[in-house]
Amino acid sequence: MATIKHNAERLALSAGIDYASKHIEKNPQKGILDIIDLVEKYMPSTKHDETYTDSGNAYTNFRRFINDPDSKWLKYGTSLFNDLDPKILKTFILNLGFEAGYCGLERARTLRDQYHLNFPWVILFDPTSACNRHCTGCWSAEYGHKLNLSFEDMDKIVTEGKELGIYFYMMTGGEPLVRKDDVIKLCKKHKNCIFSAFTNGTLVDEAFCKDMKDAGNLFLNLSIEGFEESNDSRRGIGAFDKSMEAMDLLKKNKLLFGTSICYTSKNYKTVVSDEFLDLIIKKGCKFSWYFHYMPVGNDASVDLIPTVEQRTYMYHRIREIRSMKNKTQIFPMDFQNDGEFVGGCIAGGKNYLHINANGDVEPCVFIHYSTANIKEVSLLEALKQPLFKAYHDNQAFNDNMLRPCPMLENPEFLERMVKETGAKSTDLASPESVDHLCAKCKDYAKEWTPVADELWTASQKAKKNA
């Protein structure tokens, strides 16, 4: 429950953001630095925080970037204030930063010490398994298309989550916007939370953009796999044009959005090319999630798994895009290759968990095994399930954070954990045995290990010499 002190701090931070934002247009550098000072006052960092590095905490690094008049991040930060609705941006800072990133993490740390379990700061859940697409390699495509979480189920997840300090919720699917009325209703009921939806964009229209503005605490991740040919080959004819139309609407309404991209052996170069990035930036994208293709499901195509050389290319290319020397105005995140920045695997409740449309509480969106259902137990009880405890006791699965996953890079761990805990497949359409799943990853893991070790050694050496 929020205290008087908590509410007062939120109000003060809100007022300060309003004041500083008014000065951004006249002096972007000073305005953004003022906001950094203000945020640090109410969200102080310590050496125990995940943001702390050898060169200082996140605020120190932010100031260093902004103080450089030629910095790409000064231009990027200015674009956020110029391109986004002020209410949207302020709510993003307050709910994702203050509530989830600061207060929520402090609560999670306390609970971790108390229970000796993982406690997440973000929950992913599927409002529905229904979707108007059937994309190759999509984890949700394996569940079937007739499952739904009721509004009451979703409200329970968020209500119980807030009691555990969780204020960040990402909606996956299926296509979550099939349930757009309930999504908006949930956002409006829990105004101090931040919500995000992974969507193909086909259901984004003017009315929904207005609803997003009214709610103020929802942003979108549009799924796209490259230009029209490569995108529509996985997502269906016309999917690319629909995504472009959705971006145009979101940009016009000054709403925050980015992309969600599954990179495969077929599209990996295209989705990080200058031409593709220039297109989505022009359309208004501010960030991009990159997900390594996972061979999930009995019928998954192993041919789409990136080769070791292709993954290495992605490792270097994403870092190049983020570098100060590169002027590309977007922030890319690589779910697999950025393990070194989050301590390896973040699943099993360490930083996040996934609840499918049947209510099964799973360790990861890519790992469909569980022994707990949110319709039958509380969220706290689900976190105590044996599979999650096994994650807690085994993470990180090795000392190389470029080999984070217990399935893709360490399949022997997932095999053992699932068997020892008695976890069952949650894929109701075509249950996949853990042996079958992990068998598809063993050769890959063996090939990636020496390359990952070489990259990891070089990365650690570079940090020491920086």
Side-chain angles (χ1 to χ4, degrees), residues 183-199:
V183 167
I184 293 296
K185 181 180 176 182
L186 191 69
C187 293
K188 289 184 175 180
K189 180 172 182 180
H190 298 280
K191 294 182 178 180
N192 59 345
C193 292
I194 192 77
F195 294 89
S196 177
F198 290 85
T199 173

Side-chain angles (χ1 to χ4, degrees), residues 374-439:
I374 200 64
K375 297 178 181 180
E376 300 167 356
V377 301
S378 69
L379 183 57
L380 178 57
E381 289 171 319
L383 287 166
K384 294 179 180 180
Q385 67 172 291
L387 182 57
F388 279 42
K389 184 67 164 60
Y391 265 77
H392 174 272
D393 294 344
N394 285 279
Q395 287 165 323
F397 298 104
N398 58 68
D399 295 330
N400 185 336
M401 300 298 106
L402 296 177
R403 295 172 53 217
C405 180
M407 176 186 72
L408 189 66
E409 295 108 353
N410 307 276
E412 69 279 3
F413 275 93
L414 185 62
E415 280 186 304
R416 187 175 72 246
M417 291 191 300
V418 169
K419 290 176 180 179
E420 288 180 352
T421 61
K424 304 299 182 184
S425 173
T426 54
D427 185 339
L428 301 181
S430 179
E432 182 175 26
S433 73
V434 70
D435 292 322
H436 184 268
L437 173 63
C438 291

Side-chain angles (χ1 to χ4, degrees), residues 246-396:
M247 290 182 187
D248 289 340
L249 281 172
L250 293 164
K251 181 181 180 180
K252 185 182 76 170
N253 284 279
K254 308 192 79 171
L255 293 164
L256 176 63
F257 70 96
T259 55
S260 170
I261 297 172
C262 175
Y263 61 91
T264 73
S265 60
K266 307 298 183 185
N267 73 347
Y268 74 101
K269 274 195 174 180
T270 298
V271 295
V272 288
S273 67
D274 288 336
E275 295 79 10
F276 179 74
L277 293 173
D278 287 345
L279 171 65
I280 62 175
I281 292 168
K282 184 179 179 180
K283 289 288 184 178
C285 290
K286 298 301 180 184
F287 60 88
S288 187
W289 286 102
Y290 286 91
F291 296 92
H292 186 291
Y293 174 83
M294 298 290 195
V296 177
N298 283 315
D299 298 325
S301 171
V302 294
D303 292 338
L304 289 175
I305 300 175
T307 66
V308 167
E309 292 77 19
Q310 291 168 345
R311 179 170 175 180
T312 303
Y313 176 87
M314 288 296 294
Y315 171 87
H316 290 298
R317 177 60 177 153
I318 293 292
R319 282 158 176 74
E320 178 190 359
I321 296 167
R322 284 199 299 247
S323 71
M324 290 285 282
K325 294 179 181 179
N326 188 292
K327 299 303 180 183
T328 306
Q329 296 291 303
I330 196 168
F331 189 80
M333 297 163 282
D334 189 326
F335 189 74
Q336 207 68 20
N337 285 336
D338 281 344
E340 64 178 299
F341 304 115
V342 291
C345 173
I346 62 173
K350 180 182 176 183
N351 280 341
Y352 95 103
L353 57 81
H354 177 244
I355 302 173
N356 68 21
N358 190 51
D360 299 306
V361 184
E362 306 168 331
C364 177
V365 293
F366 298 113
I367 295 179
H368 303 158
Y369 301 94
S370 178
T371 58
N373 190 290
I374 200 64
K375 297 178 181 180
E376 300 167 356
V377 301
S378 69
L379 183 57
L380 178 57
E381 289 171 319
L383 287 166
K384 294 179 180 180
Q385 67 172 291
L387 182 57
F388 279 42
K389 184 67 164 60
Y391 265 77
H392 174 272
D393 294 344
N394 285 279
Q395 287 165 323

Side-chain angles (χ1 to χ4, degrees), residues 53-311:
T53 67
D54 292 339
S55 59
N57 63 31
Y59 302 115
T60 303
N61 293 324
F62 287 154
R63 290 189 185 93
R64 178 163 54 86
F65 296 146
I66 301 304
N67 275 317
D68 179 356
D70 297 322
S71 167
K72 65 180 285 182
W73 299 119
L74 173 58
K75 296 180 177 65
Y76 178 81
T78 304
S79 77
L80 293 177
F81 286 91
N82 291 337
D83 299 345
L84 300 180
D85 183 278
K87 174 186 173 183
I88 300 295
L89 185 57
K90 183 172 75 170
T91 302
F92 182 81
I93 295 172
L94 290 172
N95 289 7
L96 183 61
F98 182 67
E99 300 290 0
Y102 182 66
C103 300
L105 275 176
E106 289 298 308
R107 174 69 171 153
R109 292 188 187 104
T110 300
L111 291 171
R112 289 169 193 168
D113 292 340
Q114 178 182 344
Y115 287 97
H116 303 289
L117 296 170
N118 283 334
F119 279 84
W121 79 283
V122 57
I123 288 178
L124 278 66
F125 66 88
D126 302 346
T128 180
S129 64
C131 186
N132 51 350
R133 301 282 176 184
H134 194 287
C135 308
T136 306
C138 173
W139 67 76
S140 61
E142 308 305 326
Y143 287 120
H145 299 278
K146 299 180 180 179
L147 304 174
N148 289 283
L149 292 174
S150 68
F151 176 81
E152 290 71 25
D153 292 331
M154 294 188 287
D155 184 47
K156 174 191 175 184
I157 291 168
V158 179
T159 299
E160 292 185 0
K162 289 198 293 186
E163 292 174 0
L164 302 179
I166 306 164
Y167 289 85
F168 186 15
Y169 297 88
M170 304 182 88
M171 288 168 275
T172 50
E175 171 50 57
L177 298 193
V178 169
R179 301 280 304 284
K180 61 169 70 174
D181 290 343
D182 280 340
V183 167
I184 293 296
K185 181 180 176 182
L186 191 69
C187 293
K188 289 184 175 180
K189 180 172 182 180
H190 298 280
K191 294 182 178 180
N192 59 345
C193 292
I194 192 77
F195 294 89
S196 177
F198 290 85
T199 173
N200 58 40
T202 58
L203 300 176
V204 174
D205 54 21
E206 282 284 3
F208 184 67
C209 288
K210 181 180 183 302
D211 287 340
M212 284 182 65
K213 266 192 172 182
D214 289 343
N217 58 347
L218 172 66
F219 66 95
L220 301 184
N221 314 279
L222 273 70
S223 299
I224 188 170
E225 314 298 345
F227 293 111
E228 184 172 8
E229 183 178 356
S230 60
N231 183 78
D232 289 5
S233 68
R234 290 188 65 224
R235 296 186 168 274
I237 301 299
F240 180 81
D241 288 340
K242 287 289 187 180
S243 294
M244 295 298 103
E245 291 171 12
M247 290 182 187
D248 289 340
L249 281 172
L250 293 164
K251 181 181 180 180
K252 185 182 76 170
N253 284 279
K254 308 192 79 171
L255 293 164
L256 176 63
F257 70 96
T259 55
S260 170
I261 297 172
C262 175
Y263 61 91
T264 73
S265 60
K266 307 298 183 185
N267 73 347
Y268 74 101
K269 274 195 174 180
T270 298
V271 295
V272 288
S273 67
D274 288 336
E275 295 79 10
F276 179 74
L277 293 173
D278 287 345
L279 171 65
I280 62 175
I281 292 168
K282 184 179 179 180
K283 289 288 184 178
C285 290
K286 298 301 180 184
F287 60 88
S288 187
W289 286 102
Y290 286 91
F291 296 92
H292 186 291
Y293 174 83
M294 298 290 195
V296 177
N298 283 315
D299 298 325
S301 171
V302 294
D303 292 338
L304 289 175
I305 300 175
T307 66
V308 167
E309 292 77 19
Q310 291 168 345
R311 179 170 175 180

Side-chain angles (χ1 to χ4, degrees), residues 11-49:
L11 283 172
L13 179 57
S14 175
I17 293 171
D18 286 339
Y19 178 80
S21 297
K22 293 178 181 178
H23 296 83
I24 294 279
E25 185 174 348
K26 294 181 180 178
N27 190 336
Q29 188 176 50
K30 183 179 185 306
I32 293 174
L33 287 171
D34 286 346
I35 289 178
I36 293 172
D37 291 342
L38 187 67
V39 170
E40 185 176 28
K41 177 180 178 181
Y42 293 102
M43 293 183 273
S45 182
T46 71
K47 288 188 177 183
H48 300 290
D49 290 344

